[in-house]
Amino acid sequence: MKHIVAGIVAHVDAGKTTLSEALLYRSGALRQLGRVDNGDAFLDPDDLEKQRGITIFSHQASLQVNDLDLTLLDTPGHVDFASQTEQVLSVLDYAVLVVSATDGIQGYTRTLWRLLAHYQVPTIIFVNKMDADTADRERVLDQLQQVFSSGCIAFNDDQTADGKIPATAYEDIAMQNDAVLEDFLDSGTVADETVRQMIGRREIFPCYFGAALKLDGVDTLLAGLEQWTQEPQYTADFGAKVFKISHDDKGERLTWLRLTGGKLANKTTILDEQKVNQIRVYNGAKFTIQPAVSAGMVCAIPNLTGTHPGQGLGIQSAGRTPEIQPVLNYTLDPQDHDLHECLTILRQLEDEDPQLHVAWSSHLQEIRVQIMGAVQLEILQQILHERFHLDVGFGAGSILYKETLTQAVEGVGHFEPLRHYAEVHLLIQPAPRGSGVTFGTDCDLEVLGKNWQHQVLTSLRAKEHLGVLTGSPLTDVKITLVSGRASIVHSVGGDFREATWRAVRQGLMMAKTQGHAQLLEPWYRFRLEVGQDQVGRAMTDIQRMHGQFDTPDAATVGGDDMTVLTGTAPVAEMQGYVQEVNAYTHGKGQLECLIDGYRPCHNATAVIAAQDYDPVGDLENTPGSVFCAHGAGYPVHWDDVPAMAHVDYVYTVAELAKLN
């Protein structure tokens, strides 16, 4: 059988889980059709999901139709859980994007489309809720072609319930590729294999129409998945990608894998000499234990340690840095619980969702977590209560700022208390927006041995580095080891950890004094619908919020003449604006906001002053160094380090300026 892994993705309430249920039922994998609103949907087995009526965690199911063996991965639909959806996208062969016929393309649907393009996932579109009175097939198809791609082409009509393409669609398909069009003009058709290849290259996106709740169009979609998908080619060597960490009801840690090559058998040794002690293949909440799994399969391995989403095993390389990042910071209110117990539990949840970025400040004696939005925060509190019997609160959310550099700098760290020695020189330079923090080495092995260079790179990756303006996370820089020195007698690995961390901070302090440190803030990309007589108010508000907008567009919504404004604005300024929109439009307006990355902070001076961060007083991230004289170590202020360094600087000021 042809084995395919497909994920179902959608904006919340588009009917994603209902479609998953319908696919399983019509394929015979389920005997009874469950419903989200009844709390008995097969792929929403978690108690929290049943209570909320939304998908919070990704789940796996299997179905077979004729020659198709399909592993189905259901994903969360709420934007607050987008990071979990993104984890799944990296292991998919195909995605089924569900769009509501009544709501059309919504804000989060656009984000999902962007993520599918980012991960190059071939995509099939199912337009759901076609049974609604307001559903308009041509209007939705036109919107898909205008907003997403001209390659969004209807693959079913009243005469094509078997997955075949309507005869009228072949010309539209051919128009998406010049070579295919040339062949089409000669032959009058497009070969099935060519269609499959075009879908795989994301040149065309088959569109199916139906109503999942009534099972309309579901058989046609199943036939289309069987007809138009291609099984990937795999290598013989073992490779796998980790896409999820979870804990089962007994507390066992599960590492979820998609095999990208070879086979994995029980008792195989992988990852730091750990043995696979069991292989589980899940179907909803239940699983079977398999002696081995082969390339293409999805499984869960209990009790591995040191694994994380995005990790590559065997010949599989690591995944990309996630596109979806939280932008709100919350401080834990332990409410009489032991802080360290809270930290231990939150670290376990961070293991499952690395985007929580749990941070502990011994200086302030507080725990902070990073959150996407209010719904995720509510769910987090419920999880802490139900799984860990921990009733805690969180303070008011604050904007998660980040810091970067606008010009390269060379930072120096020296660590030489008695009988210890290490000096490290790091080049810290600006990197493309959204690239995060990357590390490298450009240091001769005769200057610093391979083992010590490895210690430096390991130390760089071992912690989140903070900026010196507000103590916010550092981003969009490349840090390169360029020089250093070790002592044959006194150096140990921990010395290079200390010298490396100090070098980062010393370089950032140098950049700050030179005016090259920069504060970044998150921005929204918004879509605002208001009445025509309210456009002036909306434009004034956006300008007041330091936002920008495109030329307004006219639109008809529910029979009302509306105006649509799209643009960008700082998250800090748009907090609470949805309530204002509801008030001045009397409930008829609509505001959709999606994170659009980080940009220079519009009021950096005020934010820096309000934060009142003391980078020298932050002893966990000190920029100073330790030198030795007269048989004892002594501290040296960061700005005195360059004059006392044992190794010459690699770059002059002029050379650093040219590196940007």
Side-chain angles (χ1 to χ4, degrees):
M1 297 180 76
K2 174 174 63 175
H3 181 231
I4 295 295
V5 176
I8 299 199
V9 298
H11 187 288
V12 69
D13 293 334
K16 172 182 52 59
T17 302
T18 303
L19 177 61
S20 301
E21 199 80 7
L23 290 169
L24 292 167
Y25 178 72
R26 291 302 296 170
S27 67
L30 290 183
R31 291 184 179 180
Q32 187 171 347
L33 192 64
R35 289 186 58 160
V36 174
D37 48 3
N38 291 341
D40 59 357
F42 185 73
L43 285 173
D44 278 350
D46 190 272
D47 288 341
L48 281 176
E49 294 176 316
K50 293 176 182 178
Q51 293 169 24
R52 291 267 175 169
I54 61 172
T55 304
I56 299 170
F57 311 102
S58 59
H59 297 289
Q60 175 183 349
S62 298
L63 62 88
Q64 288 78 40
V65 179
N66 299 323
D67 291 330
L68 175 65
D69 179 9
L70 180 65
T71 297
L72 201 61
L73 296 178
D74 191 23
T75 64
H78 196 285
V79 65
D80 280 13
F81 305 103
S83 61
Q84 295 219 21
T85 298
E86 184 176 4
Q87 291 171 6
V88 172
L89 296 188
S90 65
V91 299
L92 297 181
D93 298 321
Y94 292 85
V96 177
L97 175 64
V98 186
V99 176
S100 167
T102 56
D103 299 321
I105 296 172
Q106 297 177 281
Y108 184 47
T109 323
R110 292 178 174 87
T111 298
L112 289 170
W113 184 262
R114 177 171 57 81
L115 287 172
L116 290 166
H118 177 75
Y119 288 98
Q120 287 296 292
V121 183
T123 302
I124 295 165
I125 297 170
F126 184 79
V127 180
N128 194 24
K129 304 185 182 180
M130 285 299 297
D131 56 329
D133 292 339
T134 57
D136 184 329
R137 174 191 173 103
E138 293 308 315
R139 177 179 57 81
V140 176
L141 185 59
D142 182 62
Q143 187 186 28
L144 292 170
Q145 292 172 346
Q146 293 293 324
V147 177
F148 287 164
S149 168
S150 59
C152 295
I153 297 167
F155 265 46
N156 73 316
D157 57 22
D158 294 338
Q159 284 75 46
T160 55
D162 57 357
K164 301 294 184 181
I165 303 173
T168 54
Y170 280 109
E171 183 176 352
D172 293 332
I173 291 170
M175 291 288 288
Q176 308 308 314
N177 181 297
D178 290 343
V180 175
L181 178 60
E182 191 173 330
D183 289 342
F184 172 76
L185 294 174
D186 291 336
S187 65
T189 190
V190 181
D192 285 0
E193 186 58 28
T194 301
V195 174
R196 294 187 192 101
Q197 292 170 1
M198 293 178 72
I199 295 169
R201 294 193 299 263
R202 289 180 50 85
E203 291 176 343
I204 56 174
F205 306 91
C207 298
Y208 293 89
F209 297 79
L213 194 59
K214 295 184 176 180
L215 302 177
D216 291 343
V218 175
D219 289 345
T220 310
L221 176 61
L222 279 170
L225 286 166
E226 181 187 2
Q227 173 78 1
W228 302 116
T229 55
Q230 301 179 106
E231 186 172 27
Q233 299 296 310
Y234 301 106
T235 63
D237 297 324
F238 167 72
K241 182 174 284 187
V242 179
F243 69 93
K244 174 182 168 182
I245 303 295
S246 68
H247 290 77
D248 66 12
D249 53 7
K250 295 179 181 177
E252 285 190 298
R253 184 180 190 270
L254 301 179
T255 298
W256 294 74
L257 308 174
R258 165 80 194 273
L259 262 68
T260 56
K263 292 185 177 180
L264 179 63
N266 197 25
K267 305 304 178 185
T268 301
T269 300
I270 60 170
L271 189 67
D272 301 329
E273 304 305 310
Q274 296 184 69
K275 275 192 176 180
V276 174
N277 57 12
Q278 191 183 76
I279 299 174
R280 300 180 183 179
V281 175
Y282 273 81
N283 194 20
K286 297 180 180 179
F287 63 87
T288 57
I289 297 174
Q290 305 284 348
V293 287
S294 55
M297 294 184 69
V298 174
C299 65
I301 312 295
N303 299 319
L304 292 180
T305 60
T307 51
H308 58 85
Q311 183 176 15
L313 302 177
I315 63 167
Q316 176 65 48
S317 58
R320 306 180 182 188
T321 302
E323 289 282 291
I324 300 293
Q325 299 284 345
V327 297
L328 298 173
N329 232 349
Y330 285 84
T331 303
L332 178 80
D333 176 3
Q335 297 185 356
D336 299 327
H337 290 283
D338 179 70
L339 261 178
H340 292 283
E341 178 193 4
C342 295
L343 181 61
T344 300
I345 290 169
L346 283 168
R347 290 279 187 220
Q348 179 175 328
L349 294 179
E350 181 187 34
D351 185 35
E352 298 176 12
D353 182 4
Q355 299 294 58
L356 277 176
H357 295 291
V358 177
W360 161 251
S361 171
S362 57
H363 173 62
L364 298 173
Q365 288 290 296
E366 68 179 24
I367 301 169
R368 293 186 301 274
V369 295
Q370 295 177 18
I371 295 290
M372 290 290 294
V375 174
Q376 186 191 2
L377 188 65
E378 291 173 14
I379 295 296
L380 176 60
Q381 287 182 279
Q382 278 188 267
I383 291 172
L384 290 170
H385 169 75
E386 295 183 12
R387 275 177 59 181
F388 303 101
H389 311 293
L390 201 65
D391 291 307
V392 297
F394 289 89
S398 59
I399 299 298
L400 178 62
Y401 294 94
K402 294 189 179 183
E403 298 184 32
T404 192
L405 298 185
T406 57
Q407 185 169 306
V409 67
E410 184 174 334
V412 181
H414 190 96
F415 188 71
E416 192 187 359
L418 188 62
R419 298 189 181 89
H420 292 268
Y421 187 94
E423 182 163 307
V424 171
H425 287 238
L426 300 174
L427 173 65
I428 312 172
Q429 58 193 129
R433 191 57 42 83
S435 61
V437 182
T438 56
F439 309 104
T441 179
D442 186 18
C443 180
D444 196 296
L445 292 177
E446 293 182 2
V447 173
L448 198 62
K450 186 175 182 179
N451 176 54
W452 301 126
Q453 293 199 26
H454 175 72
Q455 292 284 348
V456 171
L457 290 175
T458 300
S459 300
L460 284 171
R461 295 187 178 101
K463 69 181 293 187
E464 181 178 60
H465 300 283
L466 304 182
V468 295
L469 298 174
T470 61
S472 299
L474 188 66
T475 191
D476 299 344
V477 295
K478 182 179 181 181
I479 303 178
T480 306
L481 170 65
V482 292
S483 189
R485 181 175 293 176
S487 164
I488 297 174
V489 178
H490 296 306
S491 292
V492 295
D495 299 346
F496 275 89
R497 181 183 64 242
E498 289 287 343
T500 298
W501 291 352
R502 292 163 191 264
V504 173
R505 293 286 285 183
Q506 196 272 343
L508 296 177
M509 290 298 292
M510 295 287 288
K512 178 183 177 183
T513 59
Q514 296 164 5
H516 302 320
Q518 186 178 56
L519 187 67
L520 303 176
E521 68 176 341
W523 280 54
Y524 278 137
R525 179 162 293 281
F526 67 83
R527 182 179 185 276
L528 175 59
E529 280 182 12
V530 295
Q532 292 182 347
D533 58 338
Q534 297 151 345
V535 178
R537 160 73 188 268
M539 288 179 169
T540 302
D541 286 350
I542 293 164
Q543 289 169 340
R544 170 177 54 80
M545 293 186 290
H546 300 272
Q548 302 152 356
F549 52 83
D550 303 323
T551 304
D553 285 329
T556 302
V557 180
D560 294 326
D561 290 331
M562 307 289 281
T563 298
V564 178
L565 285 173
T566 56
T568 56
V571 171
E573 295 287 345
M574 293 201 84
Q575 293 278 285
Y577 186 57
V578 66
Q579 287 86 357
E580 285 189 48
V581 171
N582 284 334
Y584 74 74
T585 65
H586 308 292
K588 291 186 177 181
Q590 185 177 6
L591 175 66
E592 293 177 351
C593 292
L594 295 163
I595 301 302
D596 195 45
Y598 277 76
R599 303 183 187 186
C601 183
H602 76 283
N603 60 338
T605 303
V607 172
I608 292 168
Q611 297 274 9
D612 194 24
Y613 175 65
D614 177 12
V616 177
D618 185 351
L619 300 182
E620 293 180 5
N621 299 281
T622 180
S625 284
V626 178
F627 285 78
C628 188
H630 310 297
Y634 65 97
V636 173
H637 199 262
W638 67 268
D639 55 355
D640 294 325
V641 171
M644 300 186 64
H646 291 184
V647 179
D648 291 338
Y649 268 68
V650 176
Y651 295 94
T652 66
V653 173
E655 288 170 336
L656 288 170
K658 293 178 181 178
L659 288 174
N660 298 313

